[in-house]
Amino acid sequence: MRRYGARVIAVRPDRFVAAAAARLRTAAASGTPAAPVRDLIGRDDVEAAYAVQQRLASERIAAGATVVGRKIGLTSPAVQQQLGVDRPDFGFLFDDMEYAEGSAVPFDAVLQPRVEAEIAFVLGADLAEGPLDDAQVRAAVSYAVAAIEICGSRVAGWDIGFGDTVADNASAGGYVLGTRRVPLTDFDPVAAEMTMTIDGETVSTGSGGACLGDPVNAVVWLARQARALGEPLRAGQVALSGALGPMRPVTPGAAVHATVTGLGTVSVAFSS
């Protein structure tokens, strides 16, 4: 048994973690979504799920990928309701996951793609020591930008529970950052309003307050979790703070545009 926060959980045999990682690895390599992994690691075994995530991340790093930040997921009540979960999670962002603002992403680059609009924070200082409280995190943020996250699931039909999405790198696929960089001294994340359109139709709206009450709260949570797991946030890294409104699926040829008040716009298209 091990303690994770306030909960004591059973440690699953490593063969189940390895089997779950193999299932997700095969899905990513083949482009064919797989069955959920909760039959192997459980629906809510936090430690086992992050063990799978770390195993797959380590493999990507060994193959030459570079960690450039983290994504926080499941911060919005709307998204939690969509996916039937009740707590945030996080995953790794790698250098090959960023797409330029206004670019066209090959539709098959991300399995079962869905999009959500959010606020991204770029760090100017490490978050490795100290209390990692609101004041420290705000001081560490160099600037905020509007962002579109391209979520993807290696699990067929997005049939995911909490353990499935954590193991699957928090359903990360890619991301796009806007070009307007605004320091927190000139921007209030809570007051920000978001509108996202697909092919000109409004499909998602929300506000900064929908992200754990304040998107900075999400980064505080992330900083503490990342340090607790031995890989703290570093200067220069990106923190995608979580959706401000519902996540939406996209189809080949779709054009996505998001506006976040105070941060401007960000857009991406999907080639067929």
Side-chain angles (χ1 to χ4, degrees):
M1 306 288 284
R2 291 184 186 170
R3 182 171 295 277
Y4 189 94
R7 299 193 310 144
V8 176
I9 58 176
V11 178
R12 292 181 180 268
D14 187 66
R15 68 178 183 276
F16 292 119
V17 170
R23 186 179 296 176
L24 294 171
R25 183 189 310 113
T26 298
S30 67
T32 302
V37 296
R38 55 185 176 267
D39 63 316
L40 296 167
I41 61 169
R43 179 178 290 272
D44 296 305
D45 188 330
V46 178
E47 186 168 280
Y50 278 111
V52 176
Q53 181 189 116
Q54 182 62 61
R55 182 182 291 249
L56 292 169
S58 296
E59 290 174 0
R60 291 193 65 174
I61 293 167
T66 300
V67 175
V68 296
R70 305 289 202 289
K71 63 146 291 183
I72 312 167
L74 308 176
T75 56
S76 162
V79 175
Q80 289 183 356
Q81 185 175 15
Q82 277 185 308
L83 299 181
V85 298
D86 62 358
R87 73 195 85 170
D89 68 350
F90 73 90
F92 290 90
L93 297 177
F94 294 99
D95 54 342
D96 61 355
M97 294 171 65
E98 182 176 2
Y99 295 91
E101 202 284 331
S103 64
V105 176
F107 185 76
D108 60 0
V110 177
L111 272 179
Q112 305 180 107
R114 298 182 178 185
V115 291
E116 56 188 30
E118 54 197 86
I119 297 167
F121 299 96
V122 177
L123 299 179
D126 291 352
L127 288 171
E129 306 292 339
L132 301 184
D133 56 11
D134 181 87
Q136 183 180 356
V137 168
R138 288 179 180 275
V141 170
S142 179
Y143 57 86
V145 294
I148 293 172
E149 182 180 355
I150 307 167
C151 302
S153 182
R154 273 58 62 175
V155 176
W158 279 85
D159 177 17
I160 58 175
F162 184 76
D164 298 304
T165 186
V166 169
D168 190 23
N169 197 32
S171 302
Y175 67 97
V176 182
L177 300 181
T179 58
R180 184 179 179 187
R181 302 176 175 183
V182 182
L184 287 183
T185 52
D186 298 330
F187 172 66
D188 179 5
V190 176
E193 298 288 333
M194 178 277 294
T195 301
M196 183 175 71
T197 66
I198 297 178
D199 296 331
E201 177 183 356
T202 298
V203 295
S204 182
T205 60
S207 67
C211 180
L212 294 187
D214 181 341
V216 175
N217 290 341
V219 183
V220 170
W221 175 87
L222 171 66
R224 292 173 175 175
Q225 294 296 313
R227 183 173 68 179
L229 293 176
E231 297 191 42
L233 301 178
R234 298 296 184 184
Q237 290 188 340
V238 178
L240 297 181
S241 61
L244 303 184
M247 176 173 57
R248 297 302 185 198
V250 290
T251 55
V256 183
H257 184 88
T259 301
V260 179
T261 56
L263 297 179
T265 63
V266 58
S267 61
V268 68
F270 291 84
S271 60
S272 54

